[in-house]
Amino acid sequence: MTGVAAPNAEEAVSLGELEESLGFLLRIAQVHAFQRFYDAFGDGGLRPGEFSVMWVIRLNPGVRQGLLAETLEIKPAQMTKMVRRLEEQGLVRRVIPDYDRRSVQLFLTGQGEAFTEAHGEAFFHHDDHTHLDLSERESHQLAHLLRRYIGLKKGPVE
Amino acid sequence: MTGVAAPNAEEAVSLGELEESLGFLLRIAQVHAFQRFYDAFGDGGLRPGEFSVMWVIRLNPGVRQGLLAETLEIKPAQMTKMVRRLEEQGLVRRVIPDYDRRSVQLFLTGQGEAFTEAHGEAFFHHDDHTHLDLSERESHQLAHLLRRYIGLKKGPVE
DNA sequence: TATTGTTATACTCTATAACTATA
DNA sequence: TATAGTTATAGAGTATAACAATA
């Protein structure tokens, strides 16, 4: 007997213990976050991650590329492509420093500064609590717990 | 002037407002969750998502494939491939019901039942708080807030 | 005509390792 | 010998639309 009769109301699917699984919930949450990002920024051809990279370069001018990759958990090979792309768009400048000519220091160009200046508020607004069924307090708490989850010690916000 | 002097202590990269960005934190958190999953289950060739799919089929025998895809936010084309793969492995059975021969009902095979039975505890344990710097209460709260973030109403756990 | 699932295609993302330049 | 970054390659994941079967 294998359920050949038509189900009455098929719209209820139970998830059981998955509703407590952080891995499962994080995957779904990230699907939503990506969708949210593309709804807000997809037009300009900006990719997820690119804004974050520029933002961190802006806060840490001259940061070494490998350290940036490590911090943002982006693989070196991927970071190379991302930086090259941003360089081609005139947003980022690569500098080979004299004290270690193997390494690459990263800076925003004037255009890159202008871009992050122009879109920073929109970026940080697009995924904040005002677009969610979360209160501001819950949103901060979610961010706090996610930082704990990934082992990120909160540094000074400038 | 482009920072040609060697930095003294280069290991501190500030993230600024990114530390409050849910999209950013969710991406990093998912990288960690994936790594965690592969550390625990990578050997058996199990992919992220496959266990979840089997788990939900087990709780909802005969669930329609499209409804499953919608629930788990997996695209139909991807779900087809995933189900075919699970079918080839003898874990899932596809049934075309008489009441709607366009649709596909999904069931676990005996082997699929055995698999979820054998690995369920390990799966739900591998990403719980005991492996994290989170208390049990914080872990539950994180799950709760993630459910709120994705708009998931918690159903009855069986 | 609309819906369910499948297929085909292309594209992005990712992982890995080999490679170069430099230390 | 070790490190920083790059390149090349292949593999996995994803999006899209066209398609066949059924409703």
Side-chain angles (χ1 to χ4, degrees), chain B residues 54-99:
Chain B
M54 283 194 281
W55 187 257
V56 175
I57 294 173
R58 190 173 86 92
L59 293 182
N60 304 269
V63 64
R64 189 170 58 76
Q65 180 171 312
L67 179 58
L68 179 65
E70 190 183 332
T71 303
L72 300 183
E73 309 211 26
I74 295 172
K75 293 281 187 301
Q78 190 188 342
M79 184 58 87
T80 293
K81 284 188 283 190
M82 192 180 242
V83 166
R84 294 288 183 164
R85 190 178 137 95
L86 291 171
E87 191 186 29
E88 282 166 18
Q89 294 177 278
L91 297 165
V92 160
R93 187 159 51 94
R94 298 165 66 256
V95 173
I96 312 294
D98 285 336
Y99 66 85

Side-chain angles (χ1 to χ4, degrees), chain A residues 84-100:
Chain A
R84 293 290 183 161
R85 190 177 136 95
L86 291 172
E87 189 186 29
E88 282 166 18
Q89 294 177 278
L91 297 164
V92 160
R93 187 158 51 93
R94 299 166 65 256
V95 173
I96 311 294
D98 285 335
Y99 66 84
D100 184 348

Side-chain angles (χ1 to χ4, degrees), chain B residues 12 15 34 53 60 63 101-102 109 127 137 147 149 152:
Chain B
L15 302 177
F34 263 61
V53 164
N60 304 269
V63 64
R101 300 189 49 74
R102 297 171 305 182
T109 62
D127 73 342
R137 186 173 163 281
R147 286 194 299 269
Y149 180 86
L152 177 67

Side-chain angles (χ1 to χ4, degrees), chain B:
Chain B
M1 292 293 129
T2 53
V4 185
N8 339 7
E10 73 165 9
E11 296 307 318
V13 178
S14 60
L15 302 177
E17 286 85 342
L18 280 178
E19 291 180 352
E20 277 291 329
S21 165
L22 295 179
F24 172 77
L25 294 169
L26 284 167
R27 191 198 119 248
I28 306 270
Q30 226 220 331
V31 170
H32 285 232
F34 263 61
Q35 192 55 56
R36 201 174 281 286
F37 175 87
Y38 281 114
D39 289 347
F41 293 98
D43 297 343
L46 193 68
R47 298 175 188 181
E50 289 185 337
F51 184 86
S52 305
V53 164
M54 283 194 281
W55 187 257
V56 175
I57 294 173
R58 190 173 86 92
L59 293 182
N60 304 269
V63 64
R64 189 170 58 76
Q65 180 171 312
L67 179 58
L68 179 65
E70 190 183 332
T71 303
L72 300 183
E73 309 211 26
I74 295 172
K75 293 281 187 301
Q78 190 188 342
M79 184 58 87
T80 293
K81 284 188 283 190
M82 192 180 242
V83 166
R84 294 288 183 164
R85 190 178 137 95
L86 291 171
E87 191 186 29
E88 282 166 18
Q89 294 177 278
L91 297 165
V92 160
R93 187 159 51 94
R94 298 165 66 256
V95 173
I96 312 294
D98 285 336
Y99 66 85
D100 185 347
R101 300 189 49 74
R102 297 171 305 182
S103 66
V104 174
Q105 286 189 300
L106 299 173
F107 298 88
L108 292 190
T109 62
Q111 199 183 334
E113 290 281 354
F115 185 92
T116 51
E117 173 74 20
H119 295 96
E121 191 178 351
F123 178 85
F124 291 113
H125 186 63
H126 97 277
D127 73 342
D128 77 4
H129 69 96
T130 59
H131 301 272
L132 303 167
D133 270 344
L134 294 178
S135 70
E136 184 168 4
R137 186 173 163 281
E138 286 174 318
S139 175
H140 286 317
Q141 190 147 31
L142 176 52
H144 170 72
L145 290 169
L146 287 171
R147 286 194 299 269
R148 301 267 328 253
Y149 180 86
I150 66 184
L152 177 67
K153 306 304 175 198
K154 187 166 179 174
V157 178
E158 22 207 291

